[in-house]
Amino acid sequence: MDAELTAPHTPSGSVTLIIPTFNESANVAELLRRLGDALPDQLPCTVLFVDDSTDDTPAAIEKAAADHPFPVSVLHREVAEGGLGGAVVEGLKRADTDWIVVMDADLQHPPHLVPELVGEGVRTGAELVVASRYISGGSRAGLAGTYRVAVSRAATWLTKGLFPRALRGISDPMSGFFAMRRSAITTASAASAATADPADTTDVLRPLGYKILLELAVRCRPRPVAEVPFVFQDRYRGESKSTAREGLRFLSHLASLRSATPLARMIGFGLIGLSGFVPNLAALWLLTGAGMHYLPAEIVANQAGVMWNFLLIEALLFRDRRRHRRWADRAGRFALLANADLLLRIPLIAVFVATLGMAVLPATALALVTTFVLRFAATEALVYLPRKAAKSHPKPRS
């Protein structure tokens, strides 16, 4: 056995190795063989595959696990909710060890680094240790093609620009290979359960797609953070699961994370509202061009802007809260509030002018701001917060 695996830095804490899989039957036997060679005997480790496959991957795992020196189990999900990130969260719910290590099954993440990741966390006291391609000694060599390299780099710059504080000290937030103390996750979940926002009393993690490290770093804020360099390997067998659809899910996930605070949601709400002028004016131009009188055309065109705003808000701001009501219920409530905004604004302007003695233009601006704030608060409270009957008392978390 290699000396680095038996060095004093090898951790004594228990480890759950979570490996999400989707049609990786050709890789799991070799992965388990290399893990068996890499993991030191004194490291209490269990391997948990969370599988969303449509092929015979679960059977391949069970066959390969028969000769493996560590406990190996497989959890097959009939519904792949949340994609790869959702699979990892399912694994986190079942883990009861000190450390969680997440890695892919395609052997682009070298198994021999597993004890080094945990060992670095024990040595430095870090709550999160990331295997990074972008520090000295690391390389993205296995990231095939100029296009994938460019996309990976652009995604890294974008995420670090959007979350500079949460990702401080993480050079490779797109990495899918990392170790994290389970206590960092349970502490964040307990804090979420104590928040005043009823929508956050469920599990703190709400992944979408395959970038689970980003989700954990932003939601849980582990500190301190350490990194270990690694060389991204060529895929052992099979094809990459990265697609344009995954890219769109990633962008949607970024929007959801960035709008997690009320202030950020309000800013996003305002920007989306401004963008609604485009379909509104386009519809007005088409309707009046077709001969409709401008007054009914204004009313109909306003609905185009309302629907535009609703669809963007659904996708970008309140994706995590859509389950509380049916789509038609949410759309109807949103449209009612948006149109009530018009009815409220005119009386407010009259009050500001007649009672406060304001000029028409500043009175109109103040009315716009007032109705915007009221509409945002009403949208959160009446459209996207859960019904009172749906609330439940959260169970204590360990």
Side-chain angles (χ1 to χ4, degrees), residues 48-135:
L48 172 60
F49 288 91
V50 185
D51 181 68
D52 296 335
S53 298
T54 56
D55 66 359
D56 61 343
T57 296
I61 295 170
E62 292 177 2
K63 180 179 178 181
D67 299 324
H68 196 68
F70 298 96
V72 177
S73 59
V74 55
L75 168 65
H76 180 72
R77 302 196 302 167
E78 295 297 334
V79 179
E81 185 176 353
L84 181 147
V88 172
V89 171
E90 286 299 318
L92 293 174
K93 291 177 180 178
R94 287 161 174 76
D96 58 0
T97 51
D98 299 330
W99 285 91
I100 308 293
V101 176
V102 177
M103 68 182 301
D104 291 345
D106 55 15
L107 291 162
Q108 292 188 297
H109 298 157
H112 72 267
L113 281 182
V114 170
E116 186 173 338
L117 286 171
V118 181
E120 182 69 8
V122 172
R123 185 182 67 82
T124 62
E127 290 190 325
L128 171 67
V129 184
V130 179
S132 174
R133 298 164 290 181
Y134 302 129
I135 59 175

Coordinates of all heavy atoms in Angstrom, one line a residue, residues 48-135:
L48 N -21.9 4.5 -1.1 CA -23.3 4.5 -1.4 C -23.5 5.0 -2.8 O -23.2 6.2 -3.1 CB -24.1 5.4 -0.4 CG -25.6 5.7 -0.7 CD1 -26.4 4.4 -0.8 CD2 -26.2 6.6 0.3
F49 N -24.0 4.2 -3.7 CA -24.4 4.6 -5.0 C -25.8 5.0 -5.0 O -26.7 4.3 -4.5 CB -24.2 3.4 -6.0 CG -22.8 3.1 -6.4 CD1 -22.1 2.1 -5.6 CD2 -22.1 3.7 -7.4 CE1 -20.8 1.8 -5.9 CE2 -20.8 3.3 -7.7 CZ -20.1 2.4 -7.0
V50 N -26.1 6.2 -5.5 CA -27.5 6.7 -5.7 C -27.7 6.7 -7.2 O -27.1 7.5 -7.9 CB -27.7 8.0 -5.1 CG1 -29.2 8.4 -5.2 CG2 -27.3 8.1 -3.6
D51 N -28.6 5.8 -7.7 CA -28.6 5.5 -9.1 C -30.0 5.9 -9.7 O -31.0 5.6 -9.2 CB -28.5 4.0 -9.2 CG -28.5 3.6 -10.7 OD1 -27.6 3.9 -11.4 OD2 -29.5 2.9 -11.1
D52 N -29.8 6.6 -10.8 CA -31.0 7.0 -11.6 C -31.0 6.4 -13.0 O -31.6 6.8 -14.0 CB -31.0 8.6 -11.8 CG -31.1 9.3 -10.6 OD1 -31.7 8.8 -9.6 OD2 -30.6 10.5 -10.5
S53 N -30.3 5.2 -13.1 CA -30.0 4.6 -14.4 C -31.3 4.0 -15.1 O -32.2 3.6 -14.4 CB -29.0 3.5 -14.3 OG -27.7 4.1 -13.9
T54 N -31.2 3.9 -16.4 CA -32.2 3.2 -17.2 C -31.6 1.9 -17.7 O -32.3 1.2 -18.5 CB -32.7 4.0 -18.3 OG1 -31.6 4.5 -19.1 CG2 -33.5 5.3 -17.8
D55 N -30.3 1.6 -17.4 CA -29.7 0.4 -17.8 C -29.5 -0.6 -16.7 O -30.2 -0.5 -15.7 CB -28.4 0.7 -18.6 CG -27.3 1.3 -17.6 OD1 -27.6 1.5 -16.4 OD2 -26.2 1.5 -18.1
D56 N -28.5 -1.5 -16.8 CA -28.3 -2.5 -15.7 C -27.3 -2.0 -14.7 O -26.6 -2.9 -14.1 CB -27.9 -3.8 -16.3 CG -26.6 -3.7 -17.1 OD1 -26.2 -2.6 -17.5 OD2 -26.0 -4.7 -17.4
T57 N -27.1 -0.7 -14.5 CA -26.1 -0.3 -13.5 C -26.3 -0.8 -12.1 O -25.3 -1.3 -11.5 CB -26.1 1.3 -13.5 OG1 -25.7 1.8 -14.8 CG2 -25.1 1.8 -12.4
P58 N -27.5 -0.9 -11.6 CA -27.7 -1.4 -10.2 C -27.2 -2.9 -10.1 O -26.5 -3.2 -9.1 CB -29.2 -1.3 -10.0 CG -29.7 -0.2 -10.8 CD -28.8 -0.3 -12.1
A59 N -27.5 -3.7 -11.1 CA -27.0 -5.1 -11.1 C -25.5 -5.1 -11.2 O -24.8 -6.0 -10.5 CB -27.6 -5.9 -12.3
A60 N -24.9 -4.2 -12.0 CA -23.4 -4.2 -12.1 C -22.8 -3.8 -10.8 O -21.7 -4.3 -10.4 CB -23.0 -3.2 -13.2
I61 N -23.4 -2.9 -10.1 CA -22.9 -2.5 -8.8 C -22.9 -3.6 -7.8 O -21.9 -3.9 -7.1 CB -23.7 -1.3 -8.2 CG1 -23.5 -0.1 -9.1 CG2 -23.2 -1.0 -6.8 CD1 -24.4 1.1 -8.8
E62 N -24.1 -4.3 -7.7 CA -24.2 -5.4 -6.8 C -23.2 -6.5 -7.1 O -22.6 -7.2 -6.2 CB -25.6 -5.9 -6.8 CG -26.6 -4.9 -6.3 CD -28.1 -5.4 -6.4 OE1 -28.3 -6.6 -6.9 OE2 -29.0 -4.7 -6.0
K63 N -23.0 -6.8 -8.4 CA -22.0 -7.9 -8.7 C -20.6 -7.5 -8.3 O -19.9 -8.3 -7.7 CB -22.1 -8.1 -10.2 CG -21.1 -9.2 -10.7 CD -21.3 -9.4 -12.2 CE -20.3 -10.4 -12.7 NZ -20.4 -10.6 -14.2
A64 N -20.2 -6.2 -8.6 CA -18.9 -5.8 -8.3 C -18.7 -5.6 -6.8 O -17.5 -5.8 -6.3 CB -18.6 -4.4 -9.0
A65 N -19.7 -5.3 -6.0 CA -19.6 -5.1 -4.6 C -19.3 -6.4 -3.8 O -18.9 -6.4 -2.7 CB -20.9 -4.5 -4.1
A66 N -19.6 -7.5 -4.5 CA -19.4 -8.8 -3.8 C -18.0 -9.0 -3.3 O -17.8 -9.6 -2.2 CB -19.8 -10.0 -4.7
D67 N -17.0 -8.5 -4.0 CA -15.6 -8.7 -3.6 C -15.0 -7.5 -3.1 O -13.7 -7.4 -3.0 CB -14.8 -9.2 -4.9 CG -15.3 -10.5 -5.4 OD1 -15.7 -11.4 -4.6 OD2 -15.3 -10.7 -6.7
H68 N -15.8 -6.5 -2.7 CA -15.2 -5.2 -2.3 C -15.0 -5.3 -0.8 O -15.8 -5.8 0.0 CB -16.1 -4.1 -2.6 CG -15.5 -2.7 -2.5 ND1 -14.5 -2.3 -3.4 CD2 -15.7 -1.7 -1.7 CE1 -14.1 -1.1 -3.1 NE2 -14.8 -0.7 -2.0
P69 N -13.8 -4.7 -0.3 CA -13.5 -4.8 1.2 C -14.3 -3.9 2.1 O -14.3 -4.0 3.3 CB -12.0 -4.4 1.2 CG -11.8 -3.5 0.0 CD -12.7 -4.1 -1.1
F70 N -15.1 -2.9 1.5 CA -15.9 -2.0 2.3 C -17.3 -2.2 2.0 O -17.7 -2.7 0.9 CB -15.5 -0.5 2.0 CG -14.1 -0.2 2.3 CD1 -13.1 -0.2 1.3 CD2 -13.7 0.2 3.6 CE1 -11.8 0.1 1.7 CE2 -12.4 0.5 3.9 CZ -11.4 0.4 3.0
P71 N -18.2 -1.9 2.9 CA -19.7 -2.0 2.6 C -20.1 -1.1 1.4 O -19.8 0.0 1.3 CB -20.3 -1.5 3.9 CG -19.3 -1.6 5.0 CD -18.0 -1.4 4.3
V72 N -20.8 -1.7 0.5 CA -21.3 -1.0 -0.7 C -22.8 -1.3 -0.8 O -23.3 -2.4 -0.6 CB -20.6 -1.6 -1.9 CG1 -21.2 -0.9 -3.2 CG2 -19.1 -1.4 -1.9
S73 N -23.6 -0.2 -1.0 CA -25.0 -0.3 -1.2 C -25.4 0.6 -2.3 O -24.7 1.5 -2.8 CB -25.8 0.1 0.1 OG -25.4 1.5 0.4
V74 N -26.6 0.3 -2.9 CA -27.1 1.1 -4.0 C -28.5 1.4 -3.7 O -29.4 0.6 -3.3 CB -27.0 0.3 -5.3 CG1 -27.6 -1.1 -5.3 CG2 -27.5 1.1 -6.5
L75 N -28.9 2.7 -3.9 CA -30.2 3.2 -3.8 C -30.7 3.6 -5.2 O -30.1 4.6 -5.8 CB -30.2 4.4 -2.9 CG -31.5 5.2 -2.9 CD1 -32.7 4.4 -2.3 CD2 -31.4 6.5 -2.1
H76 N -31.6 2.9 -5.8 CA -32.1 3.2 -7.1 C -33.4 4.1 -7.0 O -34.3 3.7 -6.3 CB -32.4 1.9 -7.9 CG -32.9 2.2 -9.3 ND1 -32.2 2.7 -10.3 CD2 -34.2 2.1 -9.8 CE1 -32.9 2.9 -11.4 NE2 -34.1 2.5 -11.1
R77 N -33.3 5.2 -7.7 CA -34.5 6.1 -7.6 C -35.3 6.0 -8.9 O -34.8 6.0 -10.0 CB -34.0 7.6 -7.6 CG -33.1 7.9 -6.4 CD -33.0 9.4 -6.1 NE -32.5 10.1 -7.3 CZ -32.6 11.5 -7.4 NH1 -33.1 12.2 -6.5 NH2 -32.1 12.0 -8.5
E78 N -36.6 5.7 -8.8 CA -37.5 5.6 -9.9 C -37.7 6.9 -10.6 O -37.9 7.0 -11.8 CB -38.8 5.0 -9.5 CG -38.7 3.5 -9.0 CD -38.2 2.6 -10.1 OE1 -38.4 2.9 -11.3 OE2 -37.6 1.6 -9.7
V79 N -37.7 8.0 -9.8 CA -37.9 9.4 -10.3 C -36.6 10.2 -10.0 O -36.3 10.3 -8.8 CB -39.1 10.1 -9.6 CG1 -39.3 11.5 -10.2 CG2 -40.4 9.3 -9.9
A80 N -35.9 10.6 -11.0 CA -34.7 11.3 -10.8 C -34.9 12.8 -10.5 O -34.4 13.7 -11.2 CB -33.8 11.2 -12.1
E81 N -35.5 13.1 -9.4 CA -35.8 14.4 -9.0 C -34.6 15.2 -8.6 O -33.7 14.8 -7.8 CB -36.8 14.4 -7.8 CG -37.2 15.8 -7.4 CD -38.3 15.8 -6.3 OE1 -38.7 14.7 -5.9 OE2 -38.6 16.9 -5.8
G82 N -34.4 16.4 -9.3 CA -33.2 17.2 -9.0 C -32.0 16.8 -9.7 O -30.9 17.4 -9.5
G83 N -32.1 15.8 -10.6 CA -30.9 15.3 -11.4 C -29.8 14.8 -10.5 O -30.1 14.2 -9.4
L84 N -28.6 14.9 -10.9 CA -27.4 14.4 -10.1 C -27.3 15.0 -8.8 O -27.1 14.4 -7.8 CB -26.1 14.6 -10.9 CG -24.8 14.1 -10.3 CD1 -23.9 13.7 -11.4 CD2 -24.2 15.2 -9.5
G85 N -27.6 16.3 -8.7 CA -27.6 17.0 -7.4 C -28.6 16.4 -6.4 O -28.4 16.2 -5.2
G86 N -29.8 16.1 -7.0 CA -30.8 15.5 -6.1 C -30.4 14.1 -5.7 O -30.8 13.7 -4.5
A87 N -29.7 13.4 -6.5 CA -29.2 12.1 -6.1 C -28.2 12.2 -4.9 O -28.3 11.4 -3.9 CB -28.5 11.4 -7.3
V88 N -27.4 13.2 -5.0 CA -26.4 13.4 -3.9 C -27.2 13.7 -2.6 O -26.8 13.3 -1.5 CB -25.4 14.5 -4.2 CG1 -24.5 14.8 -3.0 CG2 -24.5 14.0 -5.4
V89 N -28.2 14.6 -2.7 CA -28.9 15.0 -1.5 C -29.6 13.7 -0.9 O -29.7 13.6 0.3 CB -30.0 16.0 -1.8 CG1 -30.9 16.3 -0.6 CG2 -29.3 17.4 -2.2
E90 N -30.1 12.8 -1.7 CA -30.7 11.6 -1.2 C -29.7 10.8 -0.4 O -29.9 10.2 0.6 CB -31.3 10.8 -2.3 CG -32.6 11.3 -2.9 CD -33.7 11.3 -1.9 OE1 -33.8 10.3 -1.1 OE2 -34.4 12.3 -1.8
G91 N -28.4 10.8 -1.0 CA -27.4 10.1 -0.2 C -27.0 10.8 1.1 O -26.8 10.1 2.1
L92 N -27.0 12.1 1.1 CA -26.7 12.9 2.3 C -27.8 12.6 3.4 O -27.4 12.5 4.6 CB -26.7 14.4 2.0 CG -25.6 14.9 1.1 CD1 -25.9 16.4 0.8 CD2 -24.3 14.7 1.7
K93 N -29.0 12.4 3.0 CA -30.0 12.1 4.0 C -29.8 10.7 4.7 O -30.2 10.5 5.8 CB -31.4 12.1 3.3 CG -31.9 13.4 2.8 CD -33.2 13.3 2.1 CE -33.7 14.7 1.6 NZ -35.0 14.6 0.9
R94 N -29.1 9.8 4.0 CA -28.9 8.5 4.5 C -27.6 8.3 5.2 O -27.3 7.3 5.8 CB -29.1 7.5 3.4 CG -30.5 7.3 3.0 CD -30.7 6.7 1.6 NE -32.1 6.4 1.4 CZ -33.0 7.3 1.0 NH1 -32.6 8.6 0.9 NH2 -34.2 6.9 0.8
A95 N -26.7 9.3 5.1 CA -25.4 9.2 5.6 C -25.4 9.6 7.1 O -26.0 10.5 7.5 CB -24.4 10.1 4.9
D96 N -24.7 8.8 7.9 CA -24.6 9.1 9.4 C -23.1 9.1 9.8 O -22.8 8.9 11.0 CB -25.4 8.1 10.2 CG -24.9 6.7 9.9 OD1 -24.0 6.5 9.1 OD2 -25.5 5.7 10.6
T97 N -22.2 9.4 8.9 CA -20.8 9.4 9.2 C -20.3 10.8 9.4 O -21.0 11.8 9.2 CB -20.0 8.8 8.0 OG1 -20.4 9.4 6.8 CG2 -20.3 7.3 7.9
D98 N -19.0 10.9 9.9 CA -18.4 12.3 10.2 C -18.2 13.0 8.9 O -18.4 14.3 8.8 CB -17.1 12.1 10.9 CG -17.3 11.4 12.2 OD1 -18.3 11.6 12.9 OD2 -16.3 10.7 12.6
W99 N -17.8 12.3 7.8 CA -17.5 13.0 6.6 C -18.3 12.4 5.4 O -18.7 11.2 5.4 CB -16.0 12.7 6.2 CG -15.0 13.5 7.0 CD1 -14.5 13.2 8.2 CD2 -14.6 14.8 6.7 NE1 -13.7 14.2 8.7 CE2 -13.7 15.2 7.8 CE3 -14.8 15.7 5.7 CZ2 -13.0 16.5 7.8 CZ3 -14.1 17.0 5.7 CH2 -13.3 17.3 6.8
I100 N -18.6 13.3 4.4 CA -19.2 12.9 3.2 C -18.2 13.2 2.1 O -17.7 14.3 2.0 CB -20.5 13.7 2.9 CG1 -21.4 13.7 4.1 CG2 -21.2 13.3 1.7 CD1 -22.0 12.3 4.4
V101 N -18.0 12.2 1.2 CA -17.2 12.5 0.0 C -18.1 12.2 -1.2 O -18.8 11.2 -1.3 CB -15.9 11.6 0.0 CG1 -15.2 11.8 -1.4 CG2 -15.0 11.9 1.1
V102 N -18.1 13.2 -2.1 CA -18.9 13.0 -3.4 C -17.9 13.0 -4.5 O -17.0 13.7 -4.7 CB -19.8 14.3 -3.5 CG1 -20.6 14.2 -4.9 CG2 -20.8 14.3 -2.4
M103 N -18.1 12.0 -5.4 CA -17.3 11.8 -6.6 C -18.2 11.2 -7.7 O -19.2 10.6 -7.4 CB -16.1 11.0 -6.4 CG -16.4 9.5 -6.1 SD -14.9 8.6 -5.7 CE -13.9 8.8 -7.2
D104 N -17.7 11.4 -9.0 CA -18.4 10.7 -10.1 C -18.0 9.3 -10.3 O -17.0 8.9 -9.8 CB -18.1 11.5 -11.4 CG -18.8 12.9 -11.4 OD1 -19.7 13.1 -10.5 OD2 -18.4 13.8 -12.2
A105 N -18.8 8.6 -11.1 CA -18.5 7.2 -11.3 C -17.7 6.9 -12.6 O -17.4 5.7 -12.8 CB -19.8 6.4 -11.4
D106 N -17.4 7.9 -13.3 CA -16.8 7.7 -14.6 C -15.2 7.7 -14.6 O -14.6 7.6 -15.6 CB -17.2 8.8 -15.6 CG -17.0 10.2 -15.1 OD1 -16.2 10.3 -14.2 OD2 -17.5 11.1 -15.7
L107 N -14.7 7.7 -13.3 CA -13.2 7.7 -13.1 C -12.5 8.9 -13.6 O -11.2 8.9 -13.7 CB -12.6 6.4 -13.7 CG -13.1 5.1 -13.0 CD1 -12.8 3.9 -13.8 CD2 -12.3 5.0 -11.6
Q108 N -13.2 10.0 -13.9 CA -12.5 11.2 -14.1 C -12.0 11.9 -12.8 O -11.1 12.7 -12.8 CB -13.4 12.2 -14.9 CG -13.7 11.7 -16.3 CD -14.4 12.8 -17.2 OE1 -15.6 13.2 -16.9 NE2 -13.8 13.2 -18.2
H109 N -12.6 11.4 -11.7 CA -12.1 11.8 -10.4 C -11.3 10.6 -9.9 O -11.8 9.6 -9.6 CB -13.3 12.1 -9.5 CG -14.2 13.2 -9.9 ND1 -15.5 13.3 -9.5 CD2 -14.0 14.2 -10.7 CE1 -16.1 14.4 -10.0 NE2 -15.1 15.0 -10.8
P110 N -10.0 10.8 -9.7 CA -9.1 9.7 -9.3 C -9.4 9.2 -7.9 O -9.4 10.0 -6.9 CB -7.7 10.3 -9.4 CG -7.9 11.8 -9.3 CD -9.3 12.1 -9.9
P111 N -9.8 7.9 -7.7 CA -10.1 7.4 -6.4 C -9.0 7.5 -5.3 O -9.3 7.6 -4.1 CB -10.4 5.9 -6.7 CG -10.8 5.9 -8.1 CD -10.0 7.0 -8.8
H112 N -7.8 7.5 -5.8 CA -6.7 7.6 -4.7 C -6.7 8.9 -4.0 O -6.0 9.0 -2.9 CB -5.3 7.3 -5.4 CG -4.8 8.5 -6.2 ND1 -5.1 8.6 -7.6 CD2 -4.1 9.6 -5.9 CE1 -4.5 9.7 -8.1 NE2 -4.0 10.3 -7.1
L113 N -7.4 9.9 -4.4 CA -7.5 11.2 -3.7 C -8.5 11.2 -2.6 O -8.5 12.2 -1.8 CB -7.7 12.3 -4.7 CG -6.6 12.8 -5.5 CD1 -7.0 14.0 -6.4 CD2 -5.4 13.2 -4.7
V114 N -9.3 10.2 -2.5 CA -10.4 10.2 -1.5 C -9.8 10.4 -0.1 O -10.2 11.3 0.7 CB -11.3 9.0 -1.6 CG1 -12.2 8.9 -0.4 CG2 -12.1 9.0 -2.9
P115 N -8.8 9.5 0.4 CA -8.3 9.7 1.7 C -7.5 11.0 1.9 O -7.5 11.6 3.0 CB -7.4 8.5 1.9 CG -7.1 8.0 0.5 CD -8.3 8.3 -0.3
E116 N -7.0 11.5 0.8 CA -6.2 12.8 0.9 C -7.2 14.0 1.1 O -6.9 14.9 1.9 CB -5.4 13.0 -0.4 CG -4.5 14.3 -0.3 CD -3.6 14.4 -1.5 OE1 -3.4 13.4 -2.2 OE2 -3.2 15.5 -1.8
L117 N -8.4 13.9 0.5 CA -9.4 15.0 0.7 C -9.8 15.0 2.2 O -9.8 16.1 2.8 CB -10.6 14.7 -0.2 CG -10.4 15.0 -1.6 CD1 -11.7 14.5 -2.4 CD2 -10.3 16.5 -1.9
V118 N -10.1 13.9 2.7 CA -10.6 13.8 4.1 C -9.4 14.1 5.1 O -9.6 14.8 6.1 CB -11.2 12.4 4.5 CG1 -11.7 12.4 5.9 CG2 -12.3 12.1 3.5
G119 N -8.2 13.6 4.7 CA -7.1 13.9 5.6 C -6.7 15.4 5.6 O -6.3 15.9 6.7
E120 N -6.9 16.1 4.5 CA -6.6 17.5 4.5 C -7.6 18.2 5.4 O -7.3 19.2 6.1 CB -6.7 18.0 3.0 CG -6.4 19.5 2.9 CD -5.0 19.9 3.1 OE1 -4.1 19.0 3.3 OE2 -4.7 21.1 3.2
G121 N -8.9 17.8 5.4 CA -9.9 18.4 6.2 C -9.6 18.2 7.7 O -9.7 19.1 8.5
V122 N -9.1 17.0 8.1 CA -8.8 16.7 9.5 C -7.5 17.5 9.9 O -7.5 18.1 10.9 CB -8.5 15.2 9.6 CG1 -7.9 14.9 11.0 CG2 -9.8 14.4 9.4
R123 N -6.6 17.6 9.0 CA -5.3 18.3 9.3 C -5.5 19.8 9.5 O -5.0 20.5 10.4 CB -4.3 18.1 8.2 CG -2.9 18.7 8.4 CD -2.0 18.5 7.3 NE -2.4 19.2 6.1 CZ -2.1 20.5 5.9 NH1 -1.5 21.2 6.8 NH2 -2.5 21.1 4.8
T124 N -6.4 20.4 8.6 CA -6.6 21.9 8.6 C -7.8 22.3 9.4 O -8.0 23.5 9.7 CB -6.7 22.4 7.2 OG1 -7.9 21.8 6.6 CG2 -5.5 22.1 6.4
G125 N -8.7 21.4 9.8 CA -9.9 21.7 10.5 C -11.0 22.3 9.5 O -12.0 22.9 10.0
A126 N -10.8 22.1 8.2 CA -11.7 22.6 7.2 C -13.1 21.8 7.3 O -13.1 20.6 7.6 CB -11.1 22.5 5.8
E127 N -14.1 22.5 7.0 CA -15.4 21.9 6.9 C -15.7 21.4 5.5 O -16.5 20.5 5.2 CB -16.6 22.8 7.3 CG -16.6 23.1 8.8 CD -17.8 23.9 9.1 OE1 -18.3 24.7 8.3 OE2 -18.4 23.7 10.3
L128 N -15.0 22.0 4.5 CA -15.1 21.6 3.1 C -13.7 21.5 2.5 O -12.9 22.4 2.6 CB -16.0 22.6 2.3 CG -16.1 22.4 0.8 CD1 -16.8 21.1 0.4 CD2 -16.8 23.6 0.2
V129 N -13.5 20.4 1.8 CA -12.2 20.3 1.0 C -12.6 19.9 -0.4 O -13.2 18.9 -0.7 CB -11.3 19.1 1.6 CG1 -10.0 19.1 0.9 CG2 -11.1 19.3 3.1
V130 N -12.1 20.8 -1.3 CA -12.5 20.7 -2.7 C -11.3 20.2 -3.5 O -10.2 20.7 -3.4 CB -12.9 22.0 -3.3 CG1 -13.3 21.9 -4.8 CG2 -14.1 22.6 -2.5
A131 N -11.5 19.2 -4.4 CA -10.5 18.8 -5.4 C -10.6 19.7 -6.5 O -11.6 19.8 -7.2 CB -10.8 17.3 -5.8
S132 N -9.5 20.5 -6.7 CA -9.5 21.6 -7.7 C -8.6 21.4 -8.9 O -7.4 20.9 -8.7 CB -9.1 22.9 -7.0 OG -8.9 24.0 -7.9
R133 N -9.1 21.7 -10.0 CA -8.3 21.6 -11.3 C -7.5 22.9 -11.5 O -6.6 22.9 -12.4 CB -9.2 21.4 -12.5 CG -10.0 20.1 -12.4 CD -11.2 20.2 -13.4 NE -12.2 21.1 -13.0 CZ -13.4 21.3 -13.6 NH1 -13.6 20.6 -14.7 NH2 -14.3 22.1 -13.2
Y134 N -7.8 24.0 -10.7 CA -7.2 25.3 -11.0 C -6.2 25.8 -10.0 O -6.0 27.0 -9.9 CB -8.4 26.3 -11.2 CG -9.4 25.8 -12.2 CD1 -10.7 25.8 -12.0 CD2 -8.9 25.5 -13.5 CE1 -11.6 25.4 -13.0 CE2 -9.8 25.1 -14.5 CZ -11.2 25.0 -14.2 OH -12.0 24.7 -15.2
I135 N -5.6 24.9 -9.2 CA -4.5 25.4 -8.3 C -3.3 24.6 -8.8 O -3.3 23.7 -9.6 CB -4.8 25.1 -6.8 CG1 -5.1 23.6 -6.6 CG2 -6.0 26.0 -6.4 CD1 -5.3 23.3 -5.1

